[in-house]
């Protein structure tokens, strides 16, 4: 039985990001995203919105000793975590900064990437223009973003599933930025080389709840008057106990100058 009087606390942000990256879906798309970015030894790579340094060590290995990796994040706690995590890697530096005004010179990078960052920013168009500014001629920008309007959770009560998905998408600042990436890249003067859409599949409620915060959001939706408590309780009971399926589309775009 769910307690609809209080929203469960959101998980610690770093634990949450680590858990999401460790899921099969997280590992899979991150590997494919890195391959698509074609990072080579000796290159300079910017990881903008690097979080707790989720991908810095892997990028450090890809550029090797002759290359360098710069992680940038606007959250000081993330910067601190990322610095600690990458401390044994001399080719990694972490800077505090904002994607709308990167603390980096024009044309300083061979590769620049954002991984689920643009969904949170104030102005995705300006952010992508900044990615373009820091790229050297011949450089590549990689962007990976979810499209929250594609969240589909299977249940016999399709209307409640739709309401849950719509409510969750409504809580994300740029919920459909994934599908907008090619347009944003073109508007920033980047040539779009590759567009990939993959479907993240969740087959157990626990993982989906951990990554998507299903339980928390259903309670919020009831509190907001978007869902009736009885329908939400029944929906939650079935999705927790039954065979579970939820899907969400992730877009990755590689563009360059
Ligand atoms: C969902 S996390 C992704 C972290 C990491 N890229 C990963 O894959 O684990 C989004 C990150 O973007 C950062 N972020 C959000 N808005 C930003 C901005 N305007 N400039 C720089 N970083 C930002 C957040 O602080 C957070 O660390």
């Amino acid at each position: 039985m769910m307690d609809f009087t209080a929203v469960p606390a959101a998980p610690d942000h770093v634990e949450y990001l680590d858990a999401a990256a460790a899921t099969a879906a997280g590992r899979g798309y991150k590997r494919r995203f890195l391959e698509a970015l074609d990072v080579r030894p000796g290159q300079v790579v910017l990881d903008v919105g690097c979080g707790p340094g989720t991908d810095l060590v892997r990028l450090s290995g890809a550029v090797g000793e002759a290359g360098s990796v710069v992680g940038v994040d606007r959250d000081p706690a993330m910067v601190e975590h990322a610095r600690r995590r990458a401390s044994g890697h001399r080719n990694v530096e972490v800077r505090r900064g904002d994607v709308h005004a990167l603390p980096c010179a024009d044309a300083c990078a061979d590769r620049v990437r954002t991984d689920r960052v643009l969904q949170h920013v104030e102005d995705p168009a300006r952010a992508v223009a900044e990615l373009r500014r820091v790229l050297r001629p011949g450089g590549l920008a990689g962007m990976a973003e979810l499209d929250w309007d594609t969240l589909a959770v299977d249940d016999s009560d399709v209307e409640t599933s739709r309401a849950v998905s719509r409510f969750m998408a409504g809580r994300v600042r740029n919920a459909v930025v994934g599908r907008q990436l090619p347009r944003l890249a073109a508007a920033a003067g980047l040539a779009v080389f590759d567009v990939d859409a993959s479907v993240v599949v969740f087959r157990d409620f626990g993982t989906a709840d951990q990554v998507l915060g299903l339980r928390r959001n259903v309670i919020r939706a009831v509190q907001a008057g978007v869902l009736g408590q009885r329908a939400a309780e029944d929906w939650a009971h079935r999705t927790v106990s039954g065979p579970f399926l939820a899907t969400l589309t992730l877009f990755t775009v590689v563009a360059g100058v």
Side-chain angles (χ1 to χ4, degrees), residues 41-65:
Q43 289 186 328
V44 176
V45 179
L46 301 188
D47 186 13
V48 180
C50 64
T54 319
D55 300 293
L56 294 179
V57 170
R58 191 189 282 210
L59 291 168
S60 160
V63 298
E65 284 183 7

Side-chain angles (χ1 to χ4, degrees), residues 16-29:
Y16 164 76
L17 289 171
D18 287 346
T23 59
R27 290 196 312 272
Y29 94 80

Side-chain angles (χ1 to χ4, degrees), residues 11 14 24-25 43 64 74 77 79 86 93 104 117 120 133 136 142 145 155 158 161 188 200 219 229 233 243-244:
V14 173
Q43 289 186 328
R74 74 167 173 193
V79 169
E93 182 196 342
C104 307
V117 177
H120 301 297
R133 179 183 68 77
R136 286 181 183 149
E145 295 293 337
D155 184 56
V158 176
S161 277
V200 183
I219 293 171
Q229 182 166 331
E233 245 165 23
F244 181 83

Side-chain angles (χ1 to χ4, degrees), residues 17 30 49-51 54 73-75 78 97-99 115-117:
L17 289 171
K30 278 182 177 292
C50 64
T54 319
D73 204 286
R74 74 167 173 193
D75 180 341
M78 290 295 170
D98 195 295
V99 66
D115 186 346
R116 292 165 303 129
V117 177

Side-chain angles (χ1 to χ4, degrees), residues 15 58 67 69 82 87 93 98 127 194-195 227 241:
E15 277 174 24
R58 191 189 282 210
V69 176
S87 61
E93 182 196 342
D98 195 295
D194 189 53
V195 179
L227 282 182
S241 54

